[in-house]
Every structure is written in structure tokens, then in C-alpha cells.
Amino acid sequence: MNIKIIIIALLLLPASFCLAQDKFEISGQLSQAGKDKMVMLSYKNSEGKDTKDSALVKNGKFLISGTTAFGNKAYLTLMPVKKDTIRRVGQSDYQEFYLEKGMYKVTGTDSLAKASITGAQAQKDFLLWKSKSQALLAQFREITQRFTKVYYAKVKDTVTIKKIQAEARPVHAKIEAALDSFIFSHPDSYVALDLIASEKTAVIDPQVFGAYYNPLSKRVLASFTGQKLTAKFEKAKKISIGKTVDFTQTDDKGNEFKLSSLKGKYVLVDFWASWCVPCRAENPHLLKAYNQLKDKGFEIVGISLDETKAAWLNAVKHDGMPWIQVSDLKGFKSEIAVQYGISAIPQNFLIDPQGVIIAKNLRGEDVNEQLAKLIR
């Protein structure tokens, strides 16, 4: 054989080998699906792109194959072949599952939602998590629905609201306990990784988050979700206690403001937005703290994640916030928010006169007392 052909073949082998290793196959049997039906698969392919594939149901059977590099949440939907007769998405007959390389089997009658989906380890983990959480989540949803109905009634029944909140707390605590138990016992699971990414990253405290992140295996951290989680964790570390921070942003008067210009003061850096109800609810408490401590070398810098200047400034005026306000009006794509991985608000951190973070996420009616203990 020509030596060049051998070299080319050897160079091509790793790519071909990886492709084969990433292959999945889903064979399904829906014995009473009827005629003119198809199954749609929605998943992330080997490049991490959202992908759709489909197969006709023939004699109650279907087959779909493809490649996916890492375990990811996917969806199988049963629908009529003719697009103009497809029911709305909210009424679709579908089931979510976890797809990764390997063989999958779908067994059912006339419904995909009620079918059994078995396959690789990620799906086994997902079914285990469902068995541990389904009843608790259903109970919590029912409580939430009752709470929403009472809370948004024309006449608020505060007594009932408090009773429902009291009922919700132990259920929520059980859900959190089940979540932690599953995560800590499955460090090599794509399902545990996704649960951490979706349930534990709204506000990352690096000192706490490490307990969830550090045990994760290299295999799951190499995935697209794992890489994003690592990047977010690294950004959160930039505003962990003990770190020195500085940034430049445009203030509400159009002037350039630099955080380090306040060196020598205690500064509470507060991320908020006009549309954020919990943020606005904190403003009276911050105002009380500001008025009590402003003469003791204390300042607040509000970083608005608004996208409209009028909404931002109207909220500042309405809530009576006399402290420094800055924004680049890019929402969560704000340069500061991106730099520090801010993906949920309200959030804040307190820096000392040297610009070092000494506390985070101070909130509530006693925020002035919390600050007074820290300001010397």
C-alpha cells in the first residue's frame, strides 16, 4: 500500500473513531400509534448545536440514529405527519429524557408521554432522579398554584398567604435535601451536572459552590454544560470575599465613574433593575442604611441592568435613591455583569476602604445593622 495513503488513513482514524463512539440509536415501538404519524427528536448534537431529527412510524415502529458527544436533555414527540394538523406545543404528546451515546428503547402503545424510555447511564440516572423528586415537585407545584391564586386576588388574604408559605417551606426543604443527596452521590452523572447548572448557579457563592463543583468528574466537566459551568464559577470567584475589585462605568449623568475613585470608603455595590420586584423591595432598606451610615464613610453604587434609560432613571427617582447610579443599558449583557458572572438579581457585595470584598448579599430590614457591624 502507498505510504501516503497509510499516513492519510491514520490521520483520519481518530476523527472516524470519535464519531463512531458518539453514536446513538433509538428504536421505538408504539403499537397503537395509528397511521400517518412521525416521531420528532430534539437534542444537542456532537457540536453542541440544537438539532432535530424525525422518523415515520411504520407498523408501530420507528428508528432514529445520530451522534451526540455528551449526555444532554432531549425530547421525543409523537405528531401527525401533516404539519397543518399538528397540535399546539402545549398539547403535544412528548417525553423528555437524557440522550447520550448508546442504544435506547422506547416502548408504548398510542402515547409517547406514557411510553417507557430505557437506555444509557444518563437516562438511568434521570429516571432515578424522577423517582425521588416527582411526588415532591408535584406537591410543591400544587402549593404554588394555590399561593399564586390567593396572592393575585383582588383582595389579598394575608392570613391564607402566610399559611400557604408555612406549608411550602418544609416541602421545599425536602426537595433541596433530595437534590443535594442525588448530586453528591452522582459526581459522574450528566443529570447531576445539569441539576447543579440549573438549580445552584443563580447566585454563586464560591465558598459554598465548591462543594458541588469540586467532586464532579472530568468526564462531565468536559461537556458543553460543564465548560459553561466552569467559566461561570471562575467569574464568580472574581467577586468572592477577599478579592479586590474595580470597574469603570457610565453614571446617570453621562460621566465616567470608576469604583476605585471611592477608595477610603466602605462601598456597597448593588446589582438591580427597574423591572426587578425583589430589587425594588430592597431599596427602602438600603435607603435607611444609607441615611444612617453615609456620614461614617459609607457609599452605595447601584449598577442597573436595565436596557431603557427612562425606566432606569424613573425607578431611581420613584424609589428616592440618592447614591451613585451607573449603567451601560445592556441588561444582563452589561460589561460588569458579564465580567462577574451576574445572572440573577438582586445581588450585592461590600468592599472595605482598600477595595477588598468583605461581605456579600446583605439584605432585609436589618441590612443597616449588618452593615454597621462591618463598618469600623
Side-chain angles (χ1 to χ4, degrees), residues 292-307:
Q292 288 185 3
L293 300 169
K294 64 180 180 179
D295 295 329
K296 297 181 180 180
F298 174 67
E299 184 58 83
I300 299 177
V301 175
I303 301 177
S304 168
L305 300 188
D306 278 288
E307 296 182 12

PDB file of all heavy atoms in Angstrom, residues 292-307:
ATOM      1  N   GLN A 292     -28.283  56.362  57.545  1.00  0.00           N
ATOM      2  CA  GLN A 292     -27.678  56.176  58.869  1.00  0.00           C
ATOM      3  C   GLN A 292     -26.149  56.133  58.808  1.00  0.00           C
ATOM      4  O   GLN A 292     -25.485  56.517  59.773  1.00  0.00           O
ATOM      5  CB  GLN A 292     -28.194  54.878  59.501  1.00  0.00           C
ATOM      6  CG  GLN A 292     -29.642  54.947  59.956  1.00  0.00           C
ATOM      7  CD  GLN A 292     -30.081  53.687  60.692  1.00  0.00           C
ATOM      8  OE1 GLN A 292     -29.289  52.787  60.902  1.00  0.00           O
ATOM      9  NE2 GLN A 292     -31.348  53.637  61.086  1.00  0.00           N
ATOM     10  N   LEU A 293     -25.598  55.693  57.669  1.00  0.00           N
ATOM     11  CA  LEU A 293     -24.154  55.426  57.620  1.00  0.00           C
ATOM     12  C   LEU A 293     -23.365  56.307  56.658  1.00  0.00           C
ATOM     13  O   LEU A 293     -22.139  56.238  56.621  1.00  0.00           O
ATOM     14  CB  LEU A 293     -23.928  53.956  57.246  1.00  0.00           C
ATOM     15  CG  LEU A 293     -24.531  52.921  58.197  1.00  0.00           C
ATOM     16  CD1 LEU A 293     -24.467  51.535  57.579  1.00  0.00           C
ATOM     17  CD2 LEU A 293     -23.791  52.941  59.538  1.00  0.00           C
ATOM     18  N   LYS A 294     -24.042  57.162  55.890  1.00  0.00           N
ATOM     19  CA  LYS A 294     -23.342  57.943  54.856  1.00  0.00           C
ATOM     20  C   LYS A 294     -22.294  58.884  55.443  1.00  0.00           C
ATOM     21  O   LYS A 294     -21.310  59.233  54.766  1.00  0.00           O
ATOM     22  CB  LYS A 294     -24.353  58.724  54.015  1.00  0.00           C
ATOM     23  CG  LYS A 294     -25.131  59.780  54.772  1.00  0.00           C
ATOM     24  CD  LYS A 294     -26.115  60.498  53.866  1.00  0.00           C
ATOM     25  CE  LYS A 294     -26.899  61.554  54.651  1.00  0.00           C
ATOM     26  NZ  LYS A 294     -27.851  62.284  53.759  1.00  0.00           N
ATOM     27  N   ASP A 295     -22.479  59.301  56.685  1.00  0.00           N
ATOM     28  CA  ASP A 295     -21.516  60.205  57.323  1.00  0.00           C
ATOM     29  C   ASP A 295     -20.388  59.453  58.027  1.00  0.00           C
ATOM     30  O   ASP A 295     -19.541  60.069  58.695  1.00  0.00           O
ATOM     31  CB  ASP A 295     -22.236  61.114  58.327  1.00  0.00           C
ATOM     32  CG  ASP A 295     -23.228  62.049  57.646  1.00  0.00           C
ATOM     33  OD1 ASP A 295     -22.974  62.434  56.490  1.00  0.00           O
ATOM     34  OD2 ASP A 295     -24.267  62.368  58.269  1.00  0.00           O
ATOM     35  N   LYS A 296     -20.397  58.126  57.888  1.00  0.00           N
ATOM     36  CA  LYS A 296     -19.348  57.299  58.510  1.00  0.00           C
ATOM     37  C   LYS A 296     -18.467  56.643  57.459  1.00  0.00           C
ATOM     38  O   LYS A 296     -17.906  55.565  57.676  1.00  0.00           O
ATOM     39  CB  LYS A 296     -19.987  56.232  59.399  1.00  0.00           C
ATOM     40  CG  LYS A 296     -20.783  56.813  60.569  1.00  0.00           C
ATOM     41  CD  LYS A 296     -21.373  55.703  61.430  1.00  0.00           C
ATOM     42  CE  LYS A 296     -22.158  56.292  62.604  1.00  0.00           C
ATOM     43  NZ  LYS A 296     -22.745  55.223  63.462  1.00  0.00           N
ATOM     44  N   GLY A 297     -18.362  57.297  56.302  1.00  0.00           N
ATOM     45  CA  GLY A 297     -17.505  56.781  55.240  1.00  0.00           C
ATOM     46  C   GLY A 297     -18.134  55.641  54.465  1.00  0.00           C
ATOM     47  O   GLY A 297     -17.437  54.711  54.028  1.00  0.00           O
ATOM     48  N   PHE A 298     -19.468  55.720  54.290  1.00  0.00           N
ATOM     49  CA  PHE A 298     -20.189  54.658  53.578  1.00  0.00           C
ATOM     50  C   PHE A 298     -20.840  55.218  52.314  1.00  0.00           C
ATOM     51  O   PHE A 298     -21.389  56.317  52.317  1.00  0.00           O
ATOM     52  CB  PHE A 298     -21.263  54.057  54.485  1.00  0.00           C
ATOM     53  CG  PHE A 298     -22.169  53.059  53.806  1.00  0.00           C
ATOM     54  CD1 PHE A 298     -21.681  51.839  53.356  1.00  0.00           C
ATOM     55  CD2 PHE A 298     -23.521  53.346  53.606  1.00  0.00           C
ATOM     56  CE1 PHE A 298     -22.523  50.920  52.734  1.00  0.00           C
ATOM     57  CE2 PHE A 298     -24.366  52.438  52.982  1.00  0.00           C
ATOM     58  CZ  PHE A 298     -23.857  51.222  52.547  1.00  0.00           C
ATOM     59  N   GLU A 299     -20.777  54.443  51.232  1.00  0.00           N
ATOM     60  CA  GLU A 299     -21.392  54.827  49.967  1.00  0.00           C
ATOM     61  C   GLU A 299     -22.028  53.606  49.313  1.00  0.00           C
ATOM     62  O   GLU A 299     -21.658  52.457  49.617  1.00  0.00           O
ATOM     63  CB  GLU A 299     -20.346  55.429  49.022  1.00  0.00           C
ATOM     64  CG  GLU A 299     -20.882  55.960  47.698  1.00  0.00           C
ATOM     65  CD  GLU A 299     -21.933  57.029  47.867  1.00  0.00           C
ATOM     66  OE1 GLU A 299     -21.574  58.209  48.064  1.00  0.00           O
ATOM     67  OE2 GLU A 299     -23.130  56.661  47.813  1.00  0.00           O
ATOM     68  N   ILE A 300     -22.994  53.836  48.465  1.00  0.00           N
ATOM     69  CA  ILE A 300     -23.617  52.764  47.676  1.00  0.00           C
ATOM     70  C   ILE A 300     -23.443  53.100  46.201  1.00  0.00           C
ATOM     71  O   ILE A 300     -23.589  54.255  45.789  1.00  0.00           O
ATOM     72  CB  ILE A 300     -25.125  52.618  47.987  1.00  0.00           C
ATOM     73  CG1 ILE A 300     -25.348  52.266  49.458  1.00  0.00           C
ATOM     74  CG2 ILE A 300     -25.754  51.539  47.091  1.00  0.00           C
ATOM     75  CD1 ILE A 300     -26.824  52.174  49.858  1.00  0.00           C
ATOM     76  N   VAL A 301     -23.126  52.081  45.415  1.00  0.00           N
ATOM     77  CA  VAL A 301     -23.071  52.224  43.952  1.00  0.00           C
ATOM     78  C   VAL A 301     -24.076  51.245  43.368  1.00  0.00           C
ATOM     79  O   VAL A 301     -23.924  50.021  43.500  1.00  0.00           O
ATOM     80  CB  VAL A 301     -21.665  51.928  43.393  1.00  0.00           C
ATOM     81  CG1 VAL A 301     -21.686  51.976  41.857  1.00  0.00           C
ATOM     82  CG2 VAL A 301     -20.655  52.929  43.940  1.00  0.00           C
ATOM     83  N   GLY A 302     -25.123  51.769  42.761  1.00  0.00           N
ATOM     84  CA  GLY A 302     -26.127  50.923  42.125  1.00  0.00           C
ATOM     85  C   GLY A 302     -25.766  50.659  40.677  1.00  0.00           C
ATOM     86  O   GLY A 302     -25.528  51.607  39.915  1.00  0.00           O
ATOM     87  N   ILE A 303     -25.705  49.393  40.302  1.00  0.00           N
ATOM     88  CA  ILE A 303     -25.437  49.023  38.909  1.00  0.00           C
ATOM     89  C   ILE A 303     -26.741  48.498  38.325  1.00  0.00           C
ATOM     90  O   ILE A 303     -27.187  47.396  38.649  1.00  0.00           O
ATOM     91  CB  ILE A 303     -24.345  47.947  38.806  1.00  0.00           C
ATOM     92  CG1 ILE A 303     -23.058  48.449  39.448  1.00  0.00           C
ATOM     93  CG2 ILE A 303     -24.104  47.566  37.346  1.00  0.00           C
ATOM     94  CD1 ILE A 303     -21.943  47.429  39.466  1.00  0.00           C
ATOM     95  N   SER A 304     -27.372  49.309  37.481  1.00  0.00           N
ATOM     96  CA  SER A 304     -28.653  48.914  36.903  1.00  0.00           C
ATOM     97  C   SER A 304     -28.458  48.013  35.696  1.00  0.00           C
ATOM     98  O   SER A 304     -27.648  48.305  34.811  1.00  0.00           O
ATOM     99  CB  SER A 304     -29.440  50.161  36.479  1.00  0.00           C
ATOM    100  OG  SER A 304     -30.540  49.794  35.680  1.00  0.00           O
ATOM    101  N   LEU A 305     -29.221  46.921  35.645  1.00  0.00           N
ATOM    102  CA  LEU A 305     -29.206  46.022  34.486  1.00  0.00           C
ATOM    103  C   LEU A 305     -30.420  46.289  33.605  1.00  0.00           C
ATOM    104  O   LEU A 305     -30.961  45.380  32.978  1.00  0.00           O
ATOM    105  CB  LEU A 305     -29.158  44.565  34.941  1.00  0.00           C
ATOM    106  CG  LEU A 305     -27.935  44.186  35.779  1.00  0.00           C
ATOM    107  CD1 LEU A 305     -27.882  42.682  36.004  1.00  0.00           C
ATOM    108  CD2 LEU A 305     -26.643  44.665  35.138  1.00  0.00           C
ATOM    109  N   ASP A 306     -30.832  47.544  33.578  1.00  0.00           N
ATOM    110  CA  ASP A 306     -31.900  47.965  32.670  1.00  0.00           C
ATOM    111  C   ASP A 306     -31.365  48.067  31.248  1.00  0.00           C
ATOM    112  O   ASP A 306     -30.148  48.142  31.020  1.00  0.00           O
ATOM    113  CB  ASP A 306     -32.452  49.328  33.097  1.00  0.00           C
ATOM    114  CG  ASP A 306     -33.476  49.220  34.208  1.00  0.00           C
ATOM    115  OD1 ASP A 306     -34.587  48.749  33.914  1.00  0.00           O
ATOM    116  OD2 ASP A 306     -33.166  49.580  35.356  1.00  0.00           O
ATOM    117  N   GLU A 307     -32.290  48.142  30.295  1.00  0.00           N
ATOM    118  CA  GLU A 307     -31.934  48.366  28.899  1.00  0.00           C
ATOM    119  C   GLU A 307     -32.524  49.673  28.385  1.00  0.00           C
ATOM    120  O   GLU A 307     -32.223  50.092  27.268  1.00  0.00           O
ATOM    121  CB  GLU A 307     -32.418  47.191  28.045  1.00  0.00           C
ATOM    122  CG  GLU A 307     -31.732  45.879  28.397  1.00  0.00           C
ATOM    123  CD  GLU A 307     -32.180  44.727  27.501  1.00  0.00           C
ATOM    124  OE1 GLU A 307     -32.842  44.994  26.479  1.00  0.00           O
ATOM    125  OE2 GLU A 307     -31.859  43.571  27.824  1.00  0.00           O
TER     126      GLU A 307
END
